[in-house]
Amino acid sequence: METPDGPWAWGVLVAAMVTHALTLGFPSSIGVFYTDLQTSFQASNTETSWFPSIVMAVLHAGGPLCSIMVERFGCRVTVMVGGILCGVGLVSSSFSKNIVHLYLSAGLVGGLGLCFSFQAAVTVLGYYFIKRRTLANSLASTGASIGMALWPLASQHLLEAVGWRGSFMIFGGVLLNCCVCGALMRPVKMPPAAPDKNVSSSKANGAISGAEMEKGKGLQKYMAFDLLLGHRRYQIYTIGVTWMVLGFVLPLFYLVPYATHSGIEESTAALLLSLIGFINIFARPVAGIVSQQRVFSGRLIYLFSGAVMINGLSNLVCAVSASFPSLLVYCALYGVSMSVIGSLVFQVLMDTVGMKRFPGAFGLFTILESVTILVGPPLAGLLVDITGQYNLVFYFSSIAVASSGLFMCLASYIMDKKEEKTGKNLQNKGEATDSSERQNIIYCPAKQEDFVI
């Protein structure tokens, strides 16, 4: 077994970066294959859009199941199982005879594999890094940006050379490298914890008894419904982000079809997706540094919601004009705002509920996200089928994303004002009480004591 913050931890960090690049890179490149998939299966935009939506939804919704896998078998096995599922799903999808087969193979099986590998690779860094955990997470997140930059370029090259079926078969082999990365994630030997007479050994290790599971504590551990029902700030943030992702992921799927439909070559259109990825490589670390400034202490929700509003409004640039210079400006705005959102989305959640409740809050958070991610692309595809205009997708995305950012900002501001007013009332009440008590104090010079009546 390895020890935290040891030399092997840096090798695990590299493995986690590669895993992020592999698992998050493939979904970002699906837009490159969109037109070919539609032609191959003679499918409508609505039917074709279900494929990327299933991949992304399963990638998010599998979080609680991944957590159970990690607790039962460890991060190493979970990442490797995810790699096998990815490989099997993508290779089998290359033999799909209809689009439903594609939904089940690459969408369901492959998406679950992506979920296991990605989320377990995030979790393992928490075990390997204690002193430099923030740095490790920041470096690992750059792997996702690198994947978003390189996968679209590789996808376009392979599409021209071997078609989408050959590309998916090759991708299946590439994603098997998650197994290699997982093999490097050896179990960690944690330092001994101080004994607690009031806590049994099973509870000290985070285990849940059958009686606790029956009482709902097990479900609460992975999906914190009590927070959704009673924690106002968690309600605001969860509703806002769930509404945001309804339109947030659409540009990644529809940018290439929109550009090619407007007369831009496919190879040039694929460069637009890569540009967003390259911007993320450099902008995410900067966003992380900016968010650590004292001015944003306790106010990250405003920085986050501001980035969400800018991201939503940037879609108007793309919707109004499909010229290549306009699309370059759009990719720059979208890429920078996306970097801020990606850097803060989980940090704001941690600040909202605290680390003790974060696992359960995160599980329910991803489940609710997956619902809108699942329905967003098909709704956009239906809009294209009815109107024949791709720019309406970006108008829809702009309205959904910008309105969610405005909601989170205003709702959080109202909450802050209410808490500030409540705090002042309590302070004034306390001062009045102190003043009244001081007036009722009788001084006794003989005993040199104060008595309160």
Side-chain angles (χ1 to χ4, degrees), residues 103-131:
Y103 296 160
L104 297 175
S105 55
L108 186 59
V109 178
L112 190 61
L114 295 175
C115 172
F116 283 0
S117 293
F118 167 67
Q119 296 199 24
V122 173
T123 304
V124 76
L125 295 178
Y127 293 116
Y128 265 96
F129 289 91
I130 297 177
K131 298 179 182 178

Side-chain angles (χ1 to χ4, degrees), residues 273-335:
L273 283 179
S274 295
L275 176 61
I276 294 175
F278 279 114
I279 290 174
N280 269 262
I281 294 175
F282 302 102
R284 283 204 182 199
V286 175
I289 294 173
V290 171
S291 67
Q292 298 299 313
Q293 300 304 308
R294 185 176 299 178
V295 67
F296 294 115
S297 178
R299 301 184 182 91
L300 280 182
I301 183 63
Y302 297 110
L303 179 61
F304 178 81
S305 57
V308 171
M309 285 188 280
I310 293 173
N311 185 271
L313 295 175
S314 69
N315 288 288
L316 295 177
V317 177
C318 187
V320 171
S321 175
S323 64
F324 189 69
S326 298
L327 293 180
L328 287 178
V329 173
Y330 164 70
C331 288
L333 292 173
Y334 182 87

Side-chain angles (χ1 to χ4, degrees), residues 328-358:
L328 287 178
V329 173
Y330 164 70
C331 288
L333 292 173
Y334 182 87
V336 172
S337 57
M338 180 187 186
S339 300
V340 179
I341 293 170
S343 298
L344 297 182
V345 62
F346 297 133
Q347 184 61 49
V348 174
L349 181 60
M350 290 178 187
D351 293 346
T352 301
V353 301
M355 281 304 299
K356 184 177 180 180
R357 298 304 311 275
F358 178 73

